[in-house]
Short mmCIF file of all heavy atoms in Angstrom, two decimals:
data_model
loop_
_atom_site.label_atom_id
_atom_site.label_comp_id
_atom_site.label_asym_id
_atom_site.label_seq_id
_atom_site.Cartn_x
_atom_site.Cartn_y
_atom_site.Cartn_z
N GLY A 1 14.70 15.83 13.72
CA GLY A 1 15.82 15.88 14.64
C GLY A 1 15.50 16.62 15.92
O GLY A 1 16.29 16.61 16.83
N GLY A 2 14.37 17.30 16.00
CA GLY A 2 14.05 18.06 17.19
C GLY A 2 13.49 17.19 18.30
O GLY A 2 12.87 16.16 18.06
N ARG A 3 13.69 17.61 19.53
CA ARG A 3 13.17 16.87 20.68
C ARG A 3 11.65 16.85 20.64
O ARG A 3 11.02 17.86 20.40
CB ARG A 3 13.65 17.51 21.97
CG ARG A 3 15.13 17.39 22.19
CD ARG A 3 15.49 18.00 23.53
NE ARG A 3 15.35 17.01 24.58
CZ ARG A 3 16.34 16.31 25.09
NH1 ARG A 3 17.55 16.48 24.62
NH2 ARG A 3 16.14 15.45 26.05
N GLY A 4 11.09 15.70 20.90
CA GLY A 4 9.64 15.57 20.98
C GLY A 4 8.94 15.43 19.63
O GLY A 4 7.74 15.20 19.58
N LEU A 5 9.68 15.57 18.54
CA LEU A 5 9.04 15.49 17.23
C LEU A 5 8.63 14.07 16.88
O LEU A 5 7.64 13.87 16.17
CB LEU A 5 9.94 16.08 16.15
CG LEU A 5 10.17 17.59 16.27
CD1 LEU A 5 11.05 18.09 15.15
CD2 LEU A 5 8.86 18.35 16.27
N ALA A 6 9.36 13.07 17.36
CA ALA A 6 8.97 11.68 17.10
C ALA A 6 7.60 11.41 17.69
O ALA A 6 6.76 10.74 17.08
CB ALA A 6 10.00 10.72 17.68
N ARG A 7 7.34 11.96 18.85
CA ARG A 7 6.03 11.79 19.48
C ARG A 7 4.94 12.47 18.65
O ARG A 7 3.85 11.95 18.46
CB ARG A 7 6.03 12.36 20.90
CG ARG A 7 4.75 12.11 21.65
CD ARG A 7 4.90 12.54 23.07
NE ARG A 7 5.97 11.77 23.66
CZ ARG A 7 5.91 11.14 24.81
NH1 ARG A 7 4.81 11.19 25.51
NH2 ARG A 7 6.91 10.45 25.28
N ALA A 8 5.25 13.64 18.12
CA ALA A 8 4.28 14.35 17.27
C ALA A 8 3.98 13.55 16.01
O ALA A 8 2.82 13.47 15.59
CB ALA A 8 4.81 15.74 16.91
N VAL A 9 5.00 12.96 15.42
CA VAL A 9 4.79 12.14 14.22
C VAL A 9 3.94 10.93 14.57
O VAL A 9 3.01 10.58 13.84
CB VAL A 9 6.14 11.69 13.60
CG1 VAL A 9 5.93 10.65 12.52
CG2 VAL A 9 6.88 12.90 13.04
N GLY A 10 4.23 10.28 15.69
CA GLY A 10 3.43 9.14 16.13
C GLY A 10 1.97 9.50 16.32
O GLY A 10 1.07 8.76 15.91
N ASN A 11 1.72 10.64 16.92
CA ASN A 11 0.33 11.08 17.11
C ASN A 11 -0.35 11.37 15.77
O ASN A 11 -1.52 11.04 15.59
CB ASN A 11 0.28 12.32 18.01
CG ASN A 11 0.43 11.96 19.47
OD1 ASN A 11 -0.08 10.93 19.91
ND2 ASN A 11 1.13 12.79 20.21
N ALA A 12 0.38 11.96 14.85
CA ALA A 12 -0.19 12.24 13.52
C ALA A 12 -0.54 10.93 12.81
O ALA A 12 -1.60 10.83 12.17
CB ALA A 12 0.79 13.05 12.69
N LEU A 13 0.32 9.93 12.92
CA LEU A 13 0.04 8.63 12.31
C LEU A 13 -1.21 8.01 12.91
O LEU A 13 -2.07 7.49 12.21
CB LEU A 13 1.22 7.68 12.50
CG LEU A 13 2.52 8.02 11.78
CD1 LEU A 13 3.61 7.03 12.19
CD2 LEU A 13 2.33 8.01 10.29
N HIS A 14 -1.29 8.06 14.22
CA HIS A 14 -2.40 7.45 14.93
C HIS A 14 -3.73 8.13 14.63
O HIS A 14 -4.77 7.48 14.58
CB HIS A 14 -2.11 7.48 16.43
CG HIS A 14 -3.13 6.78 17.26
ND1 HIS A 14 -3.35 5.43 17.19
CD2 HIS A 14 -4.01 7.26 18.18
CE1 HIS A 14 -4.31 5.10 18.04
NE2 HIS A 14 -4.72 6.19 18.64
N ARG A 15 -3.70 9.43 14.42
CA ARG A 15 -4.93 10.21 14.24
C ARG A 15 -5.23 10.52 12.78
O ARG A 15 -6.13 11.32 12.51
CB ARG A 15 -4.82 11.50 15.02
CG ARG A 15 -4.72 11.27 16.51
CD ARG A 15 -4.36 12.56 17.23
NE ARG A 15 -3.96 12.29 18.58
CZ ARG A 15 -4.70 12.57 19.63
NH1 ARG A 15 -5.88 13.12 19.48
NH2 ARG A 15 -4.26 12.30 20.83
N ASN A 16 -4.53 9.93 11.85
CA ASN A 16 -4.73 10.21 10.43
C ASN A 16 -6.20 9.97 10.06
O ASN A 16 -6.67 8.84 10.07
CB ASN A 16 -3.83 9.31 9.60
CG ASN A 16 -4.01 9.49 8.11
OD1 ASN A 16 -4.69 10.40 7.65
ND2 ASN A 16 -3.41 8.60 7.34
N PRO A 17 -6.93 11.02 9.69
CA PRO A 17 -8.35 10.83 9.36
C PRO A 17 -8.57 10.26 7.96
O PRO A 17 -9.68 9.88 7.62
CB PRO A 17 -8.92 12.25 9.46
CG PRO A 17 -7.77 13.14 9.14
CD PRO A 17 -6.55 12.42 9.69
N VAL A 22 -3.89 9.44 2.69
CA VAL A 22 -2.58 9.84 3.19
C VAL A 22 -1.81 8.57 3.55
O VAL A 22 -2.18 7.87 4.48
CB VAL A 22 -2.70 10.77 4.43
CG1 VAL A 22 -1.33 11.14 4.95
CG2 VAL A 22 -3.50 12.01 4.08
N PRO A 23 -0.75 8.25 2.80
CA PRO A 23 -0.05 6.98 2.98
C PRO A 23 0.90 6.97 4.18
O PRO A 23 2.11 6.78 4.04
CB PRO A 23 0.70 6.81 1.66
CG PRO A 23 1.00 8.21 1.25
CD PRO A 23 -0.19 9.03 1.69
N CYS A 24 0.36 7.17 5.36
CA CYS A 24 1.19 7.25 6.56
C CYS A 24 1.89 5.94 6.88
O CYS A 24 2.86 5.93 7.65
CB CYS A 24 0.37 7.74 7.74
SG CYS A 24 -0.99 6.66 8.19
N HIS A 25 1.45 4.83 6.29
CA HIS A 25 2.11 3.55 6.55
C HIS A 25 3.54 3.54 6.00
O HIS A 25 4.34 2.69 6.36
CB HIS A 25 1.31 2.40 5.94
CG HIS A 25 1.20 2.47 4.46
ND1 HIS A 25 0.27 3.28 3.84
CD2 HIS A 25 1.91 1.86 3.48
CE1 HIS A 25 0.41 3.15 2.53
NE2 HIS A 25 1.40 2.30 2.29
N ARG A 26 3.89 4.52 5.18
CA ARG A 26 5.25 4.60 4.62
C ARG A 26 6.25 5.24 5.57
O ARG A 26 7.43 5.28 5.29
CB ARG A 26 5.21 5.38 3.32
CG ARG A 26 4.42 4.68 2.24
CD ARG A 26 4.35 5.50 0.99
NE ARG A 26 3.56 4.83 -0.03
CZ ARG A 26 3.06 5.45 -1.08
NH1 ARG A 26 3.28 6.73 -1.27
NH2 ARG A 26 2.34 4.77 -1.96
N VAL A 27 5.79 5.75 6.70
CA VAL A 27 6.68 6.41 7.65
C VAL A 27 7.33 5.36 8.55
O VAL A 27 6.65 4.59 9.22
CB VAL A 27 5.90 7.43 8.51
CG1 VAL A 27 6.81 8.04 9.57
CG2 VAL A 27 5.28 8.51 7.64
N VAL A 28 8.66 5.35 8.54
CA VAL A 28 9.45 4.50 9.44
C VAL A 28 10.45 5.40 10.15
O VAL A 28 10.68 6.54 9.74
CB VAL A 28 10.18 3.37 8.67
CG1 VAL A 28 9.18 2.42 8.02
CG2 VAL A 28 11.13 3.92 7.64
N ASN A 29 11.06 4.90 11.22
CA ASN A 29 12.03 5.75 11.92
C ASN A 29 13.39 5.73 11.21
O ASN A 29 13.56 5.08 10.18
CB ASN A 29 12.11 5.38 13.40
CG ASN A 29 12.80 4.07 13.68
OD1 ASN A 29 13.47 3.49 12.82
ND2 ASN A 29 12.65 3.57 14.89
N ALA A 30 14.35 6.44 11.76
CA ALA A 30 15.66 6.58 11.13
C ALA A 30 16.40 5.26 10.99
O ALA A 30 17.31 5.15 10.16
CB ALA A 30 16.51 7.57 11.92
N GLU A 33 12.76 1.12 11.32
CA GLU A 33 11.81 0.35 12.11
C GLU A 33 10.39 0.84 11.89
O GLU A 33 10.14 2.04 11.76
CB GLU A 33 12.16 0.45 13.60
CG GLU A 33 13.51 -0.14 13.93
CD GLU A 33 13.99 0.19 15.32
OE1 GLU A 33 13.54 1.21 15.90
OE2 GLU A 33 14.83 -0.55 15.83
N LEU A 34 9.45 -0.10 11.85
CA LEU A 34 8.05 0.24 11.66
C LEU A 34 7.48 0.89 12.91
O LEU A 34 8.03 0.76 14.01
CB LEU A 34 7.25 -1.02 11.32
CG LEU A 34 7.74 -1.85 10.13
CD1 LEU A 34 6.73 -2.94 9.81
CD2 LEU A 34 8.03 -1.00 8.92
N SER A 35 6.36 1.57 12.74
CA SER A 35 5.74 2.30 13.85
C SER A 35 5.06 1.37 14.86
O SER A 35 4.99 1.68 16.03
CB SER A 35 4.72 3.30 13.32
OG SER A 35 5.37 4.24 12.51
N GLY A 36 4.52 0.28 14.37
CA GLY A 36 3.97 -0.71 15.29
C GLY A 36 2.52 -0.51 15.66
O GLY A 36 1.75 0.16 14.97
N PHE A 38 0.80 1.07 17.98
CA PHE A 38 0.18 2.34 18.37
C PHE A 38 -0.45 3.03 17.16
O PHE A 38 -1.59 3.45 17.19
CB PHE A 38 1.19 3.28 19.02
CG PHE A 38 0.62 4.64 19.30
CD1 PHE A 38 -0.25 4.82 20.36
CD2 PHE A 38 0.92 5.72 18.51
CE1 PHE A 38 -0.80 6.06 20.62
CE2 PHE A 38 0.38 6.97 18.76
CZ PHE A 38 -0.48 7.14 19.82
N ALA A 39 0.29 3.10 16.07
CA ALA A 39 -0.19 3.85 14.91
C ALA A 39 -1.19 3.08 14.06
O ALA A 39 -2.07 3.67 13.46
CB ALA A 39 0.99 4.28 14.04
N PHE A 40 -1.08 1.75 14.03
CA PHE A 40 -1.87 0.99 13.07
C PHE A 40 -2.77 -0.07 13.69
O PHE A 40 -3.44 -0.80 12.97
CB PHE A 40 -0.95 0.35 12.04
CG PHE A 40 -0.22 1.37 11.23
CD1 PHE A 40 1.06 1.75 11.56
CD2 PHE A 40 -0.83 2.00 10.16
CE1 PHE A 40 1.73 2.72 10.84
CE2 PHE A 40 -0.18 2.97 9.44
CZ PHE A 40 1.11 3.34 9.77
N GLN A 46 1.05 -2.32 9.43
CA GLN A 46 1.96 -1.49 8.65
C GLN A 46 2.82 -2.36 7.74
O GLN A 46 3.03 -2.04 6.57
CB GLN A 46 2.85 -0.63 9.56
CG GLN A 46 3.74 0.32 8.77
CD GLN A 46 4.61 1.19 9.64
OE1 GLN A 46 4.82 0.91 10.82
NE2 GLN A 46 5.13 2.26 9.06
#
Side-chain angles (χ1 to χ4, degrees):
R3 293 183 87 98
L5 294 181
R7 185 173 300 229
V9 170
N11 281 323
L13 293 175
H14 184 65
R15 296 169 193 253
N16 178 10
V22 178
C24 61
H25 63 279
R26 295 177 181 163
V27 176
V28 296
N29 72 14
E33 297 169 336
L34 305 188
S35 298
F38 174 75
F40 297 97
Q46 184 179 17

